Amino acid sequence: MALPTAIKLFLVLSSQVAAVGIPASAADFVIRRDVVILGGGASGAHAAVRLREDYGKSIVIVEKQGNLGGHVETYIDPMTGNPYDYGVNSYTEYGTAKEFFARFNVSISTPVRATLTTRFVDFSTGQELKGYEAPCSDDVPAALRRYLEICEKFEDLMIPSLANFPEINVPEDLLMKFSDFVVKYGLEAMVPRLFQATGMGLGKVDDELTLYVMQAFGAPITRTSLGLAGSFVPTSRRKQDLYDAIAKALDTDVLFSSTVILSHRDDHGVQLLVRGEDGSLTLITAKKLLISFSPTMENMAPFAPDSAELNVFSTWGVNHVYAGIATHPALPDNYSFVNYPTSVVPDNWLMLPQAPFVVRYEYLGDRNFRVLVASDKGMDSIGAQSLAKKTFNTLLQNVISSVNPDGFRQYQDEELEILEWADHTGIHPHVSVEELQTGFYKKLYSLQANS
């Protein structure tokens, strides 16, 4: 696979620096640790706590954002002070998840789901799907139970990691297109639930491999959907609380708003030159490197990947998911507008929107609406925001004008205002059937010896 010219140039420059290492004189500060962790999302933050507090290792996190938590996104309404989470909806009860919250004195409770009026709409036309029939309430749990039974057969192959994934003789069900898998087992009634919960992040979910659908909506979340396991949120309703508590505990062992610009790796460890938001440079030397962000080619550029690493990372495909908080005076309170193509009518539940598309506009409170966009590789964050605004205008002229005619007449000339926006690119990395059948994940995990 050809690499972008900018990445090629960066790799050449990085390799030249790596030939002699990075001199301490290049930095304003020098930090020495046992482990340097890149990315302070859920996995990076958890690893930092475990390594430092439970295993006695010195650590430092390099985090590009101004807070820990990654895809946990909390917006605080400036008028009311109310928190609104527009990234992670809730936490699934699995393993020691609850104990980890207790460790940081973050009290938890059962999520409270707002009762919303849902309108199913073809977002390409803005027309409400009058003939759409949602799955029967009895059919959904029945399909979920059948699905769970299958998921549990493969659970140890993909949770908590793919380290046990077979190098050969991959189970046929996991390599099927999800639409074929659904038809094979008669799971159509659960597809709307899966799609709206997590599946939209896969983009063209009906064409995605069942393996990757099960990673997004697998046994743990299915058990929760069936009431066989719980889900929870912080009592404060602010999911950022856990990661703020972790940041406070780690204190100066987190470098916020920082990115790696050069690196050098050898048998003795790693050197990273890190640039802070203020332009200052910090040299980190560590025995081990832990990368907890999505290993896209763009993200990996500063680390001068060798041929074995390039062979893995250049193969990985990624989907793009964007989440935001938006507002418009014509949007009616307590409504959710959900996107399905007209072809879903009356009950063709495998007919799903094709990327790029807006998933839904969902009321949260205080005139704030959650917006989700699933995109292909050709649309960046700015393009996704533009799509969210363009799609809203289509809805405004059609379904919203009928639901809220007074608001439409008064505010039809105003643009959708995006208050917060987050890029969740890379949350569902995937490879082809051919790669899976030739031991891709064995190749991936073998790279750990190189870092």
Side-chain angles (χ1 to χ4, degrees), residues 328-331 393 395-398 400-414:
H328 189 280
L331 273 167
N393 288 337
L395 268 61
L396 181 64
Q397 299 297 321
N398 294 279
I400 293 177
S401 66
S402 63
V403 171
N404 186 14
D406 292 339
F408 169 73
R409 283 191 292 269
Q410 187 173 357
Y411 301 110
Q412 60 181 302
D413 295 328
E414 292 194 21

Side-chain angles (χ1 to χ4, degrees), residues 145-184:
R145 284 192 291 270
R146 290 196 298 274
Y147 178 68
L148 176 60
E149 184 178 346
I150 303 166
C151 285
E152 288 180 336
K153 293 179 182 178
F154 309 122
E155 190 168 4
D156 64 336
L157 301 183
M158 60 185 75
I159 298 176
S161 75
L162 288 156
N164 293 325
F165 198 80
E167 187 171 3
I168 58 174
N169 300 322
V170 179
E172 180 182 353
D173 281 347
L174 298 181
L175 301 182
M176 294 178 68
K177 283 175 49 176
F178 185 61
S179 56
D180 294 336
F181 174 83
V182 166
V183 172
K184 176 180 177 180

Side-chain angles (χ1 to χ4, degrees), residues 259-281:
T259 55
V260 176
I261 59 173
L262 284 178
S263 70
H264 169 62
R265 294 178 289 158
D266 57 31
D267 293 339
H268 302 291
V270 60
Q271 291 177 295
L272 303 178
L273 193 60
V274 176
R275 177 182 289 136
E277 188 176 33
D278 60 358
S280 63
L281 297 176

Side-chain angles (χ1 to χ4, degrees), residues 82-159:
N82 291 327
Y84 293 103
D85 290 301
Y86 60 99
V88 174
N89 270 333
S90 62
Y91 297 97
T92 299
E93 186 178 311
Y94 183 79
T96 59
K98 285 187 174 180
E99 287 83 349
F100 201 68
F101 278 76
R103 179 173 187 158
F104 289 92
N105 298 314
V106 177
S107 62
I108 58 175
S109 57
T110 302
V112 177
R113 310 295 185 189
T115 301
L116 303 178
T117 299
T118 300
R119 290 285 187 265
F120 298 100
V121 181
D122 186 330
F123 280 16
S124 66
T125 65
Q127 298 296 323
E128 186 173 356
L129 303 176
K130 296 292 186 180
Y132 174 70
E133 298 176 7
C136 173
S137 58
D138 291 335
D139 291 342
V140 176
L144 284 169
R145 284 192 291 270
R146 290 196 298 274
Y147 178 68
L148 176 60
E149 184 178 346
I150 303 166
C151 285
E152 288 180 336
K153 293 179 182 178
F154 309 122
E155 190 168 4
D156 64 336
L157 301 183
M158 60 185 75
I159 298 176

Side-chain angles (χ1 to χ4, degrees), residues 235-247:
T235 304
S236 66
R237 307 298 174 190
R238 183 178 180 273
K239 299 180 185 68
Q240 187 63 45
D241 280 355
L242 172 65
Y243 298 97
D244 286 352
I246 292 173

Side-chain angles (χ1 to χ4, degrees), residues 299-321:
N299 287 341
M300 295 303 297
F303 305 99
D306 61 25
S307 59
E309 294 165 338
L310 286 173
N311 184 48
V312 170
F313 300 135
S314 63
T315 304
W316 226 326
V318 297
N319 292 326
H320 301 256
V321 182

